Amino acid sequence: MVLKRHLAGSKFLEKQFGIVSKYSSEQVPVGSVHEKCTVGSDKKDMIAAEEVNYSHSEGKDSKLYSLWKNEIPSLALLTSLYFLQGLPMGLMFGSIPFLLQERASYTQIGIFTLATYPYSLKLLWSPLVDGYYSRRLGRRKTWIIPVQTLSGLSLVLCSKKIESWVENVQVTPLTVMSFLLVLLVATQDIAVDGWALSMLSKTFIGYSSTCQSLGVTCGFFSSFTGFLALSDEYFCNTYIRYFIGGQGALLTLSGMLVLTGILYLCLTIVLIILRREDPPPKSASTAKVSTFFLQLYRLMQLPNLRTLIGVLLLAKIAFAVQDNVYSLKLLERGFRRQDLAFIAIFQLPVQVLGTILIGRWCTGVKPLSPYLLGYKLRLFLIIPCTLIIVLIRNHNRSGYFIWIVILNMLYHIASDVLMFVSMGAYFARISDENIGGTYLTLLNTLQNLGGTWPKLLALLFVDRLTWKYCESQSSSIDMTHEMVCKVWVDGFYLCSFLCLLVGASLMPWIQRRIRYLEALSPESFALDE
């Protein structure tokens, strides 16, 4: 019975994690083991002795013990580091554009999106992060510790200035400061991506994308949805102040920036004290940064990688309007920020659970199948999302609340869970650990760039294709003049229709390329020695 349990346990591990145990199907049947063990002793004594011997001599060397001893702390650390990335991303990519929307034009918001470009251009300095390091600190901690310290101090010290620039719509200094903060976050991301390839074992390397999606999603939610809810007076008075008393909002923009900076500094201290990084091999050199640029150039010459690059740069054109204008249109139609925050509360548990479940799917023989499913789902959802904007008016927005909840949940499952986790797991599978930071950064940069470069164009075209007539109306009471504009053609609908056409045209090509890529072996993306 003991050996049967061992066999059942090894089968479970092999099915769930791909672990091949010594107690696999290669073992002889239990009955034959009993027969061999009966010579000169009792069968039960021999089986009991085998159990004790296995538990003491082999238990600590098993993959299950390695999972609990080594992998769980590493997975928790990776998730925490990616959570830190999500906090400033939620502020710079979400909260601040929402706050500017109340005061600025789409063009001004489009200019502010330039601050997000370091995250899409981090490939340019990733060889420096891979090539220069201190052996005493570790190859990755050399960059993570100072970058996180500088990020935390900048957020704490500049919090009041950033809040003032947002309130007064000073787009230029706000964009410059945000650009520098995103630059630091992108540098930390390079180091963390490279560390993930060496921190996790080969068996669990595919789960690095699950850690990334889970951490970034929770961080983004905290600084975007959570902040918008806690900074809204109506939401706090209705749902929170009833229990704790008082009046007014619980958090300001400067307060959120300070809190984010403190979290950065605290986790950095924990990282310095509690986590040691394995030293790089003595043969490794910190001076040959040019080697990484040469390898980067050689990577770009790989035909299979060029195919993957084409998919990453073109796939998200179809979603440029939905990703960047849809939420702003809901606010324009009369939805309050607390309404959107309340919607996102439903999304978070679904995204977290979906990320964990899809992570297992992405380790199979078809790791990009979830990506393809997510692409088709997002493309289909353009139609009902656009229709919702057409139907909503200020007086009937509450009637469509439940439909917006459902559409938002489906859209985020398709984009953040299916597409992001699937492609991230594929990146980890094909990346070379020797140039892990550069290789993984190359792939993540191209994926980010695929969603970033259409963003400014979408915002500009929605503004330019909106035709409206404005006239001045005088008030007979206080003799003041007010500009009243009537929209004849809303550019949001035109741009959504164009994006749908582009996405439908690209779908057959993307499907063929995805099936081709997932049939390739990881060795087909490796560089020759």
Side-chain angles (χ1 to χ4, degrees):
M1 293 300 294
V2 173
L3 190 54
K4 287 183 179 179
R5 287 196 295 269
H6 290 164
L7 286 168
S10 64
K11 291 292 186 181
F12 173 78
L13 291 176
E14 183 176 355
K15 181 179 179 181
Q16 294 297 321
F17 303 107
I19 297 172
V20 179
S21 172
K22 61 184 288 185
Y23 293 94
S24 60
S25 59
E26 298 176 349
Q27 298 297 315
V28 296
V30 177
S32 63
V33 173
H34 285 188
E35 293 174 2
K36 292 181 180 180
C37 293
T38 55
V39 180
S41 63
D42 184 77
K43 295 181 181 179
K44 294 182 179 180
D45 293 338
M46 292 301 295
I47 296 173
E50 183 182 357
E51 178 185 7
V52 174
N53 184 49
Y54 168 74
S55 62
H56 286 284
S57 63
E58 299 293 334
K60 289 188 177 180
D61 296 329
S62 66
K63 290 293 184 179
L64 182 60
Y65 181 83
S66 176
L67 169 66
W68 290 103
K69 184 67 176 179
N70 299 318
E71 304 301 337
I72 293 299
S74 298
L75 293 172
L77 176 60
L78 281 178
T79 304
S80 300
L81 291 172
Y82 283 122
F83 175 79
L84 284 186
Q85 291 181 29
L87 290 174
M89 287 173 60
L91 290 169
M92 305 304 169
F93 293 24
S95 295
I96 291 180
F98 259 73
L99 296 176
L100 288 175
Q101 190 269 344
E102 300 174 351
R103 308 173 179 88
S105 64
Y106 286 140
T107 302
Q108 288 177 306
I109 298 174
I111 293 174
F112 175 75
T113 61
L114 296 174
T116 65
Y117 271 65
Y119 214 80
S120 301
L121 300 175
K122 57 186 177 180
L123 178 65
L124 299 177
W125 64 93
S126 63
L128 300 177
V129 180
D130 259 342
Y132 284 115
Y133 55 88
S134 167
R135 293 183 181 274
R136 183 177 180 181
L137 286 177
R139 187 175 183 181
R140 307 305 176 185
K141 288 176 66 175
T142 297
W143 291 89
I144 293 176
I145 291 173
V147 164
Q148 288 188 174
T149 302
L150 188 57
S151 299
L153 293 175
S154 300
L155 289 166
V156 172
L157 297 177
C158 300
S159 58
K160 291 292 184 181
K161 278 289 185 182
I162 294 176
E163 185 177 51
S164 175
W165 292 334
V166 172
E167 291 176 350
N168 299 314
V169 197
Q170 295 178 270
V171 177
T172 301
L174 179 62
T175 302
V176 172
M177 186 63 199
S178 301
F179 183 94
L180 296 176
L181 288 171
V182 175
L183 181 66
L184 294 174
V185 174
T187 304
Q188 187 244 23
D189 184 44
I190 297 171
V192 173
D193 285 344
W195 199 3
L197 295 180
S198 58
M199 185 187 301
L200 299 176
S201 65
K202 294 296 183 182
T203 304
F204 295 93
I205 190 63
Y207 290 94
S208 62
S209 66
T210 303
C211 295
Q212 183 179 20
S213 180
L214 191 63
V216 171
T217 297
C218 292
F220 196 96
F221 175 87
S222 300
S223 59
F224 181 27
T225 305
F227 164 70
L228 291 180
L230 295 178
S231 65
D232 187 84
E233 183 175 350
Y234 175 83
F235 183 90
C236 292
N237 291 337
T238 304
Y239 300 104
I240 301 178
R241 292 294 187 181
Y242 176 81
F243 301 99
I244 64 175
Q247 291 290 325
L250 292 173
L251 196 61
T252 62
L253 178 59
S254 61
M256 184 63 199
L257 292 169
V258 171
L259 181 60
T260 302
I262 292 175
L263 289 175
Y264 260 86
L265 297 175
C266 290
L267 186 56
T268 303
I269 294 173
V270 172
L271 188 63
I272 294 173
I273 298 175
L274 299 181
R275 182 73 189 201
R276 293 188 61 187
E277 182 182 358
D278 294 334
K282 294 183 178 180
S283 59
S285 172
T286 60
K288 296 182 179 180
V289 178
S290 59
T291 302
F292 289 93
F293 283 103
L294 177 60
Q295 290 173 328
L296 184 61
Y297 172 77
R298 293 173 60 198
L299 284 175
M300 299 293 289
Q301 306 307 311
L302 296 176
N304 294 329
L305 192 61
R306 288 185 173 183
T307 301
L308 179 58
I309 290 172
V311 172
L312 295 176
L313 292 181
L314 298 178
K316 294 184 179 179
I317 297 177
F319 318 124
V321 173
Q322 297 302 124
D323 287 344
N324 303 292
V325 188
Y326 173 70
S327 297
L328 300 178
K329 277 293 177 182
L330 287 177
L331 293 176
E332 186 179 291
R333 291 298 190 187
F335 271 82
R336 300 184 299 266
R337 288 183 299 170
Q338 63 267 22
D339 295 332
L340 298 182
F342 193 67
I343 291 174
I345 292 175
F346 293 97
Q347 296 172 194
L348 182 63
V350 176
Q351 284 183 257
V352 171
L353 181 61
T355 297
I356 297 173
L357 296 177
I358 295 300
R360 178 70 188 94
W361 186 7
C362 297
T363 59
V365 295
K366 292 186 176 182
L368 291 178
S369 293
Y371 181 91
L372 195 58
L373 177 61
Y375 181 89
K376 294 177 180 179
L377 180 58
R378 288 179 75 178
L379 192 63
F380 168 76
L381 289 175
I382 292 177
I383 300 173
C385 286
T386 305
L387 185 61
I388 281 289
I389 299 297
V390 174
L391 297 176
I392 289 177
R393 294 293 183 270
N394 289 344
H395 65 278
N396 67 346
R397 62 178 184 272
S398 59
Y400 294 95
F401 184 83
I402 186 63
W403 295 107
I404 293 176
V405 172
I406 295 172
L407 290 175
N408 280 25
M409 289 177 61
L410 291 174
Y411 194 82
H412 282 278
I413 288 173
S415 59
D416 297 339
V417 178
L418 291 172
M419 295 185 69
F420 184 82
V421 175
S422 174
M423 191 59 74
Y426 187 73
F427 291 165
R429 174 180 294 194
I430 65 176
S431 295
D432 186 353
E433 183 180 334
N434 295 324
I435 51 172
T438 300
Y439 207 134
L440 208 53
T441 298
L442 168 64
L443 299 175
N444 284 324
T445 297
L446 292 169
Q447 181 172 231
N448 294 330
L449 187 60
T452 301
W453 75 263
K455 181 185 298 186
L456 180 58
L457 293 178
L459 291 166
L460 289 175
F461 273 101
V462 168
D463 235 2
R464 296 295 186 268
L465 295 179
T466 298
W467 302 342
K468 54 187 177 182
Y469 173 74
C470 299
E471 60 180 0
S472 177
Q473 292 186 355
S474 302
S475 174
S476 58
I477 300 176
D478 52 7
M479 302 302 293
T480 58
H481 297 273
E482 180 182 4
M483 293 296 297
V484 177
C485 297
K486 181 179 180 180
V487 176
W488 290 354
V489 177
D490 195 329
F492 172 78
Y493 307 131
L494 294 176
C495 291
S496 295
F497 179 70
L498 291 175
C499 286
L500 181 62
L501 288 180
V502 172
S505 302
L506 287 174
M507 188 171 66
W509 179 84
I510 290 176
Q511 182 166 341
R512 290 195 302 270
R513 296 301 182 272
I514 288 295
R515 294 307 183 195
Y516 167 77
L517 289 170
E518 67 181 3
L520 298 173
S521 64
E523 289 74 17
S524 62
F525 291 90
L527 291 174
D528 296 332
E529 294 294 336

